[in-house]
Amino acid sequence: MDILRLATAGSVDDGKSTLIGRLLYDSKAIFEDQLASVERTSKERGEEYTNLALLTDGLRAEREQGITIDVAYRYFATPKRKFIIADTPGHIQYTRNMVTGASTADLAVVLVDARNGLTEQSRRHAFLATLLKVPHLVLAVNKMDLVGYDSSAFERIADEFTAFATKLEIGDLAFIPMSALHGDNVVERSANMPWYNGPSLLHHLEHLHIASDRNLIDVRFPVQYVIRPHQATDPELHDYRGYAGQVAGGVLKAGDEVMHLPSGLTSTVRRIDGPGGPVDEAYPPMSVTLLLDNDIDISRGDMICRAGNQPQVTQDVQAMVCWMADAPRLTPRSRLVVKHTTRTVKAMVRDIAYRLDVNSLHRDESALSLGLNEIGRVSLRLTQPIFSDPYSRNRMTGGMILIDEVTGATVGAAMIIEGS
């Protein structure tokens, strides 16, 4: 059974947490004691109904304010698929949290209040989802009950978003009218909107094809750890030398010829071991151990690929950076530590080409720095080469984490641009 990762986004009070609570409740994915706790808290707050948003708003500050602050992860499953949901905050000052939640998502659900239509935050989050190359997008027009389930309200918002989407690179876009509070079109189709012929949200999530979203063409295997069981008593393990890691791209099979970077030496895959023993093939996002025919000096941070299909080996990188630190600001000559796949290197900012206004998509080329939650195009010079692809081609080999070299705190996320 495969796993679908989805992130919710949208403005404050558009009903993201309520939607997830409704999904969990109607799909029977919560325990009785959890429901009892939510019912008790709802009564204490004087609410007339069970507030399902409390299932995800776990922080006390979130419950007190009725908002989402941190990224809350929830897990549930149906007979057809497993799900990991990232409930991301709607406030502007928590944009970095939305980036964190959506960076690994297969699908983003952008909620819009049917009464208010598209807001600045709706556009902001839709743009961020496309910047992060989330393959599938659902615009969920929520609170349809508050506009009398009027089809014209839904169609007006869908048309407005379609016009905005022409400026973005959206691979797959769906529109669903719903009421998370009452469960309309969340798990079951709603009788209140007979004019809507599409699926419920859960039906859409269960049947969405995601296998082809991952790059199965370019073989990329960043080496995470070299396994040498020196204390092994089993004679078969005495000469065992395996290279463990997560497949970032392509399909690997025993007998495949592969190349090691940075050496450029080639070898053949002798065997592939999974957590339960040998496997016939490995593909993203499987974690496996490769055994090669030749004894090559391979260590953490190296890359295994195909001789005729190699990543770019470079020390100069152009990237879109989302800056996540309040202080310091990102400026030219800032020194950072860059974590790219399993390789960690030091870097210096050479230049900031522009800062991007994520609401108007205007490029401010006079910008001299990036502050908290700001996004811009940045040139980096690395102390050692990395083995990268454009983020648009491979999110794993095209993404980087930026770390403060003094405190060790994560201060930014970067997406490598083609032609860098």
Side-chain angles (χ1 to χ4, degrees):
M1 189 183 293
D2 64 354
I3 297 174
L4 177 76
R5 297 172 180 267
L6 64 138
T8 60
S11 296
V12 179
D13 288 334
D14 277 353
K16 298 183 296 299
S17 298
T18 303
L19 172 63
I20 294 173
R22 174 61 65 184
L23 267 176
L24 297 174
Y25 179 73
D26 284 2
S27 61
K28 310 290 190 291
I30 57 174
F31 296 110
E32 287 183 14
D33 60 337
Q34 289 177 300
L35 182 60
S37 172
V38 167
E39 288 174 342
R40 187 169 57 251
T41 305
S42 299
K43 284 179 183 176
E44 289 170 357
R45 291 167 51 157
E47 295 174 343
E48 297 175 4
Y49 58 91
T50 301
N51 188 346
L52 296 175
L54 298 176
L55 287 168
T56 55
D57 286 343
L59 297 178
R60 181 173 295 177
E62 293 177 323
R63 292 194 174 201
E64 288 173 354
Q65 297 177 51
I67 63 170
T68 300
I69 297 173
D70 199 5
V71 180
Y73 291 94
R74 290 294 177 268
Y75 309 86
F76 78 103
T78 68
K80 292 187 171 64
R81 180 171 267 170
K82 294 179 181 177
F83 299 92
I84 300 176
I85 309 176
D87 182 20
T88 66
H91 285 68
I92 291 175
Q93 65 263 41
Y94 301 126
T95 299
R96 58 182 175 181
N97 302 56
M98 190 270 170
V99 169
T100 301
S103 61
T104 57
D106 302 303
L107 176 142
V109 180
V110 178
L111 269 83
V112 174
D113 189 321
R115 299 168 300 174
N116 303 330
L118 288 186
T119 63
E120 187 177 290
Q121 274 296 78
S122 308
R123 293 182 173 87
R124 173 188 289 262
H125 284 168
F127 167 71
L128 288 172
T130 58
L131 181 70
L132 293 161
K133 302 300 176 194
V134 179
H136 306 275
L137 195 66
V138 171
L139 189 79
V141 182
N142 193 27
K143 304 190 180 183
M144 288 296 295
D145 54 306
L146 299 180
V147 294
Y149 299 104
D150 181 14
S151 63
S152 61
F154 170 70
E155 287 162 5
R156 184 180 67 254
I157 293 170
D159 290 344
E160 188 181 353
F161 189 83
T162 301
F164 174 69
T166 57
K167 304 175 186 176
L168 309 175
E169 294 180 19
I170 299 178
D172 171 49
L173 176 60
F175 299 92
I176 301 177
M178 64 177 61
S179 169
L181 182 64
H182 299 292
D184 296 288
N185 285 338
V186 178
V187 171
E188 302 291 341
R189 285 280 303 275
S190 171
N192 292 318
M193 290 176 274
W195 44 265
Y196 172 68
N197 297 318
S200 69
L201 176 63
L202 184 62
H203 185 275
H204 182 73
L205 298 179
E206 284 182 328
H207 294 85
L208 189 71
H209 181 68
I210 60 171
S212 58
D213 293 337
R214 296 190 172 94
N215 186 323
L216 300 177
I217 299 170
D218 311 319
V219 169
R220 302 289 185 264
F221 187 79
V223 177
Q224 184 173 349
Y225 188 70
V226 180
I227 298 177
R228 291 295 305 273
H230 297 290
Q231 305 299 321
T233 54
D234 187 340
E236 249 187 71
L237 296 176
H238 185 68
D239 293 323
Y240 190 100
R241 185 183 182 92
Y243 308 105
Q246 184 179 32
V247 183
V251 179
L252 283 163
K253 298 178 182 178
D256 284 353
E257 185 175 328
V258 292
M259 172 180 277
H260 165 250
L261 295 175
S263 72
L265 298 173
T266 58
S267 184
T268 303
V269 178
R270 185 167 83 247
R271 194 171 91 207
I272 303 174
D273 286 347
V279 296
D280 294 331
E281 60 180 15
Y283 47 85
M286 289 175 63
S287 294
V288 297
T289 301
L290 300 184
L291 284 81
L292 305 181
D293 278 343
N294 299 17
D295 191 9
I296 302 174
D297 181 16
I298 299 177
S299 57
R300 177 182 173 87
D302 293 356
M303 177 75 74
I304 291 172
C305 59
R306 292 209 193 283
N309 182 344
Q310 302 172 34
Q312 186 175 25
V313 183
T314 182
Q315 288 179 252
D316 293 296
V317 173
Q318 294 280 330
M320 293 300 295
V321 170
C322 175
W323 193 245
M324 299 177 172
D326 210 349
R329 295 177 69 88
L330 183 71
T331 60
R333 304 200 66 78
S334 290
R335 295 183 179 275
L336 301 161
V337 173
V338 169
K339 188 175 188 310
H340 173 264
T341 63
T342 57
R343 177 165 281 222
T344 303
V345 301
K346 291 188 176 183
M348 186 178 75
V349 177
R350 297 180 66 181
D351 181 44
I352 296 176
Y354 57 80
R355 182 172 58 226
L356 192 67
D357 184 326
V358 297
N359 304 311
S360 65
L361 307 185
H362 171 71
R363 298 178 178 184
D364 180 6
E365 297 181 0
S366 65
L368 301 176
S369 65
L370 295 181
L372 176 64
N373 292 324
E374 292 182 337
I375 295 171
R377 177 166 175 156
V378 175
S379 302
L380 296 170
R381 173 71 175 179
L382 313 181
T383 55
Q384 296 176 40
I386 57 172
F387 316 114
S388 66
D389 296 286
Y391 188 81
S392 57
R393 190 166 181 88
N394 190 314
R395 291 165 82 187
M396 290 181 72
T397 58
M400 301 187 298
I401 295 171
L402 307 181
I403 301 166
D404 187 300
E405 67 173 357
V406 177
T407 64
T410 299
V411 291
M415 292 137 280
I416 296 172
I417 298 171
E418 197 154 8
S420 57

